[in-house]
Amino acid sequence: MQRRRFLATPLLLPTLTWPAEALLAYPPVTPGPRLAFPRDHGGHPDFRTEWWYVTGALDSPQPDVGFQLTFFRNRPGTAETLRSPLAARQILWAHAALTVPGERLRHTERAARANLGGSFSSVDCDVSIGSWRMHREDHAQGEVLRLQMQSPQFSFDFTLTPSQPLLLQGDNGYSRKSHAADLASYYVSWPQLRVDGVLVRDSGRQEVHGRAWFDHEWSTAILGGGAVGWDWLGINLADGGALMAFRMRDAQGRTLFAHAAWRDAAGQLRHFIAADVVFTPRRRWTSPRSGASYPVEMEIHFGEQLLRTLPVLDDQELSASQPAPVVYWEGLVKVEGSLRGRGYLEMTGYAGTLRL
């Protein structure tokens, strides 16, 4: 199969007025997808928004060190008619963060535009901006994901080895974000990835091991109907199972839509509809920078299960500036209750309506 690649360069936005006719209609997200892999690990450049997202918890040489690496792709829809190779038809950006107990959160970012410098593949997971890269590799022993990033704050080179199959969220990968069917995404998770590799930070170069969670999601529109953001939880359970739960939230903190997917240690997958999923804030932390108040301890009730998030650090707020300012909370939490484990809690829209 011919490999298609889309190149990117550091983001330099020209001062231009886009003609109205240059705007386009993006393809809709519809039920009944036939996802195929590794093809659908790759980019979907016709859609407006896409992200490849990995979070994890390291066990050695120090327990409860969290890491995150996310690549975002956006099709602005405002440069489709321009012939210049510098036209911003596809914009990439990436966030990386490191949580160390007892220390401050470290995070860094990069941004790019299409056709120079970086790339993403449309036939497999392979996205990069400069020396930052996330890609899938086939080996004789099986497939792996490779994460590589470097910055003055920290660097890592991790290999992620699957221990269980992909988890297609929602209806075989069609994940609704609202009671309205047109607000949805295509959404694939890969829980319980074994992490091996090297982390570089103040204490030097360390070999590390742990567990990670991979998400890949693409869509045209997922916020609507008064939603300002979401609360999302992805947990690798201690018994080998996996849990994903989210809710879409309005400006008053009310739940507009919710969903949960729980795959138990035996591999049985259960989905829980909006009426069966309840998020209840229990303790808040207020950012001294943004003033946003985040419910860092949250109870999540679905079916007969009740659990509570306990953050490794209260201050895991990320403030990014490229390609546009965005502030959100994303960090390593432990989960206790009827299910136990570790993973990441993401909360958006508390410092203002999230703009995608």
Side-chain angles (χ1 to χ4, degrees):
M1 178 183 294
Q2 184 178 2
R3 183 178 181 81
R4 295 172 58 202
R5 297 186 65 82
F6 299 80
L7 301 177
T9 191
L11 184 65
L12 298 171
L13 294 177
T15 303
L16 295 174
T17 300
W18 306 113
E21 60 269 20
L23 302 177
L24 75 159
Y26 299 95
V29 174
T30 56
R34 295 183 178 179
L35 302 183
F37 301 96
R39 161 63 190 89
D40 281 308
H41 288 316
H44 300 80
D46 290 344
F47 289 85
R48 182 174 185 172
T49 303
E50 185 164 22
W51 54 78
W52 296 261
Y53 169 87
V54 174
T55 58
L58 304 177
D59 297 308
S60 63
Q62 178 180 348
D64 297 331
V65 171
F67 72 90
Q68 180 245 122
L69 179 63
T70 306
F71 284 88
F72 305 87
R73 179 199 59 77
N74 181 261
R75 183 187 183 191
T78 54
E80 302 290 323
T81 62
L82 299 182
R83 295 185 179 182
S84 169
L86 299 178
R89 298 183 187 90
Q90 302 283 342
I91 295 176
L92 303 175
W93 66 99
H95 296 170
L98 185 71
T99 296
V100 180
E103 300 183 12
R104 62 178 177 82
L105 176 76
R106 307 181 191 196
H107 61 91
T108 184
E109 60 183 314
R110 288 196 171 188
R113 83 159 41 172
N115 287 336
L116 292 171
S119 67
F120 70 91
S121 168
S122 65
V123 298
D124 204 342
C125 178
D126 192 352
V127 56
S128 65
I129 301 175
S131 61
W132 292 25
R133 188 182 182 194
M134 178 187 302
H135 65 288
R136 194 191 68 88
E137 300 176 351
D138 285 312
H139 295 269
Q141 297 80 13
E143 61 186 330
V144 299
L145 288 175
R146 185 88 177 272
L147 311 182
Q148 297 163 294
M149 63 77 57
Q150 297 83 36
S151 77
Q153 298 96 319
F154 61 94
S155 303
F156 54 72
D157 186 341
F158 295 157
T159 297
L160 280 54
T161 304
S163 66
Q164 54 187 241
L166 293 169
L167 196 166
L168 301 184
Q169 299 289 356
D171 182 8
N172 291 316
Y174 168 76
S175 173
R176 293 178 68 154
K177 301 301 189 290
S178 166
H179 295 287
D182 60 333
L183 293 175
S185 69
Y186 296 122
Y187 184 4
V188 180
S189 299
W190 215 342
Q192 296 287 1
L193 296 161
R194 191 185 78 227
V195 180
D196 302 286
V198 174
L199 170 66
V200 179
R201 58 188 183 98
D202 296 340
S203 53
R205 179 185 176 93
Q206 301 171 313
E207 290 190 7
V208 298
H209 307 281
R211 287 278 163 169
W213 179 293
F214 168 83
D215 267 357
H216 181 200
E217 197 164 4
W218 60 101
S219 66
T220 288
I222 58 175
L223 284 178
V228 300
W230 60 75
D231 302 324
W232 173 93
L233 188 70
I235 299 294
N236 285 322
L237 298 172
D239 64 3
L243 169 68
M244 186 284 300
F246 73 86
R247 69 164 178 162
M248 310 302 292
R249 196 188 65 255
D250 70 10
Q252 289 72 47
R254 295 173 299 204
T255 298
L256 300 174
F257 187 81
H259 185 81
W262 172 34
R263 186 161 68 188
D264 65 22
Q268 180 180 0
L269 177 62
R270 295 176 60 190
H271 289 279
F272 297 85
I273 62 174
D276 296 332
V277 182
V278 178
F279 281 70
T280 305
R282 290 305 184 193
R283 183 176 69 85
R284 291 180 174 270
W285 170 81
T286 299
S287 167
R289 296 174 298 277
S290 69
S293 177
Y294 299 98
V296 293
E297 291 190 13
M298 186 98 70
E299 277 188 357
I300 299 99
H301 187 190
F302 59 97
E304 298 178 353
Q305 307 299 321
L306 179 63
L307 51 86
R308 187 167 184 160
T309 64
L310 300 172
V312 171
L313 285 178
D314 279 0
D315 187 354
Q316 297 185 79
E317 182 187 59
L318 283 77
S319 178
S321 60
Q322 302 180 55
V326 61
V327 178
Y328 60 103
W329 196 102
E330 182 169 35
L332 180 63
V333 298
K334 296 181 180 181
V335 162
E336 296 183 351
S338 55
L339 298 172
R340 302 175 66 88
R342 290 181 307 179
Y344 264 64
L345 171 65
E346 180 182 75
M347 298 180 284
T348 69
Y350 288 92
T353 302
L354 183 67
R355 305 294 182 187
L356 295 178

